[in-house]
Amino acid sequence: MHVLVTGAAGFIGSAISQKLLKNGIDVIGIDNLNSYYDQSLKISRLNNIQDFSKNKKTNFNFFKCDIQDKNSLDSIFKSFSDLSIVIHLAAQAGVRHSIENPHAYFNSNLLGFGNILEVVRENKINNFIFASSSSVYGGNSELPFEENQNVDNPVSLYAATKKSNELMAYSYSHLYKIPTTGLRFFTVYGPWGRPDMAPMIFTKAILENKKIQIFNQGKMRRDFTFIDDITEGIFRCCFKPASYQEKSLGKDLDAPYRIFNIGNGNPINLMDFVNLLEKELNQEAEKVFLNMQKGDVVETWASTLNLQNWIDYKPETEIEKGIKEFVSWYKNYYK
């Protein structure tokens, strides 16, 4: 059996690829290796996967491919007759970047997502898992965030594209009976993380004795979720395809479609996160306190009960343990 992972050179994509290989499952990886952030980090992740694959005697077939290229996707999908699961993680990420460069989000997150839906349909994939985001909750003030809450008011274009993905995926699931699971990720962090996210930005600045920017005067909370917890959740969804249900998102639906939050369920104050980083790095950060940024939200907090009931799993890595592992990797990787 093969599992296809889009965005395989990305943070979560590379981690779930290794998780699958570790469990004896062959992986097909797709990534366009774009320059949104350091390409050498993406290549290092791929090399790490290749080495891991050799050690586990499993196959990792990588294709440099942009999901906007439907012909290339067709060719890849048709090359593997035993492909039955697709984990779609490729996307243009970043809330702030979507304000500066919206066109990239239209191309990747809408056109590219549509192409993936089409090849999933055409190749009769029987388990489609895709990445959504906690950003779809926008400025919702009712906490914790639950899957049946209204998410019609995104405060960033990135969030709007992720909400659009959920709608597009539902329509395909309804029309073509494709078992589809959408996972709303909550602030994923850990080894091999993204350089554009706070843990990497803060750590780099602290070690280089540079100032770190603290938005909303530090009055923010995030549901930080460790990468290993995320990959375990995705892995379990691989073996439990979405099924028909009486209600989803508060409505009666006629589709094998599910949406789940996947977060730690235990948000922490941003300043507590910074303090833990300082403690692990044994170095104090020079802080600059600023007002709230456009497109940002004050707090995220995942209700994880639905996912827990579905796959009998709840992310639970303590933030102290997660930061320790992240800092250890960072120091080793960046010397």
Side-chain angles (χ1 to χ4, degrees):
M1 179 182 75
H2 280 87
V3 174
L4 186 141
V5 178
T6 72
F11 177 28
I12 301 173
S14 60
I16 187 59
S17 294
Q18 286 200 41
K19 176 78 172 178
L20 292 162
L21 293 165
K22 180 180 178 181
N23 285 273
I25 298 169
D26 295 331
V27 175
I28 307 156
I30 291 176
D31 203 293
N32 68 353
L33 300 176
N34 70 20
S35 58
Y36 169 61
Y37 63 77
D38 183 14
Q39 290 172 308
S40 65
L41 176 60
K42 299 179 182 182
I43 293 168
S44 293
R45 290 182 186 133
L46 288 176
N47 291 337
N48 196 41
I49 298 170
Q50 293 283 13
D51 291 342
F52 191 86
S53 175
K54 290 174 184 176
N55 291 334
K56 293 296 179 181
K57 297 181 179 179
T58 47
N59 293 319
F60 177 66
N61 296 279
F62 177 73
F63 298 88
K64 185 178 179 182
C65 170
D66 195 308
I67 58 173
Q68 296 171 57
D69 183 353
K70 176 65 161 53
N71 290 334
S72 293
L73 289 174
D74 287 337
S75 177
I76 294 167
F77 271 68
K78 285 179 170 52
S79 298
F80 297 90
S81 60
D82 61 344
L83 175 57
S84 59
I85 300 171
V86 170
I87 302 171
H88 177 55
L89 304 172
Q92 178 58 59
V95 168
R96 294 167 192 170
H97 188 61
S98 71
I99 298 171
E100 301 162 2
N101 187 14
H103 197 72
Y105 293 76
F106 299 142
N107 288 338
S108 181
N109 298 10
L110 298 179
L111 173 60
F113 191 82
N115 285 339
I116 291 294
L117 288 173
E118 270 294 275
V119 289
V120 163
R121 176 184 70 84
E122 292 165 352
N123 291 275
K124 296 180 171 54
I125 299 302
N126 54 30
N127 189 0
F128 177 53
I129 301 164
F130 73 95
S132 187
S133 168
S134 63
S135 67
V136 300
Y137 289 104
N140 280 13
S141 58
E142 185 179 344
L143 296 166
F145 294 150
E146 297 182 352
E147 294 90 342
N148 62 359
Q149 289 179 7
N150 185 292
V151 289
D152 291 338
N153 301 102
V155 296
S156 71
L157 178 62
Y158 171 71
T161 63
K162 287 299 182 178
K163 168 63 175 175
S164 299
N165 290 169
E166 294 182 2
L167 295 171
M168 294 165 72
Y170 171 74
S171 68
Y172 265 69
S173 178
H174 170 73
L175 291 169
Y176 307 113
K177 313 308 177 189
I178 302 166
T180 299
T181 302
L183 297 173
R184 292 173 175 170
F185 296 129
F186 280 70
T187 317
V188 188
Y189 76 103
W192 298 99
R194 274 177 29 209
D196 63 320
M197 294 186 71
M200 292 274 273
I201 293 172
F202 289 169
T203 300
K204 184 175 187 293
I206 292 169
L207 290 175
E208 294 177 355
N209 296 306
K210 295 180 179 178
K211 297 176 181 178
I212 65 172
Q213 296 180 329
I214 307 290
F215 293 99
N216 201 40
Q217 310 300 320
K219 298 174 183 176
M220 303 175 77
R221 294 212 305 167
R222 287 291 180 271
D223 198 341
F224 288 98
T225 314
F226 192 60
I227 184 62
D228 290 357
D229 287 336
I230 291 289
T231 54
E232 180 64 27
I234 299 172
F235 182 76
R236 293 191 182 206
C237 286
C238 287
F239 303 99
K240 190 168 184 182
S243 58
Y244 288 89
Q245 57 184 323
E246 292 182 1
K247 286 186 180 293
S248 176
L249 306 181
K251 302 174 183 177
D252 292 319
L253 299 177
D254 182 24
Y257 176 86
R258 306 267 173 159
I259 285 286
F260 296 111
N261 291 334
I262 181 165
N264 190 271
N266 185 30
I268 70 165
N269 294 322
L270 179 59
M271 293 310 301
D272 290 340
F273 182 83
V274 173
N275 292 339
L276 287 169
L277 262 183
E278 291 174 321
K279 180 180 177 181
E280 197 60 41
L281 293 166
N282 196 29
Q283 190 169 334
E284 188 173 347
E286 186 177 355
K287 306 171 188 71
V288 178
F289 291 91
L290 302 171
N291 293 327
M292 194 74 160
Q293 285 195 119
K294 283 184 179 179
D296 217 342
V297 297
V298 174
E299 183 170 7
T300 64
W301 179 2
S303 169
T304 60
L305 183 61
N306 287 336
L307 183 67
Q308 187 175 352
N309 289 339
W310 182 247
I311 57 171
D312 191 28
Y313 177 72
K314 176 187 176 183
E316 55 188 17
T317 300
E318 297 289 340
I319 190 72
E320 293 83 2
K321 180 178 183 293
I323 289 179
K324 186 178 184 66
E325 290 194 27
F326 163 69
V327 168
S328 176
W329 167 82
Y330 187 97
K331 287 182 174 179
N332 181 63
Y333 182 77
Y334 289 104
K335 310 301 179 189

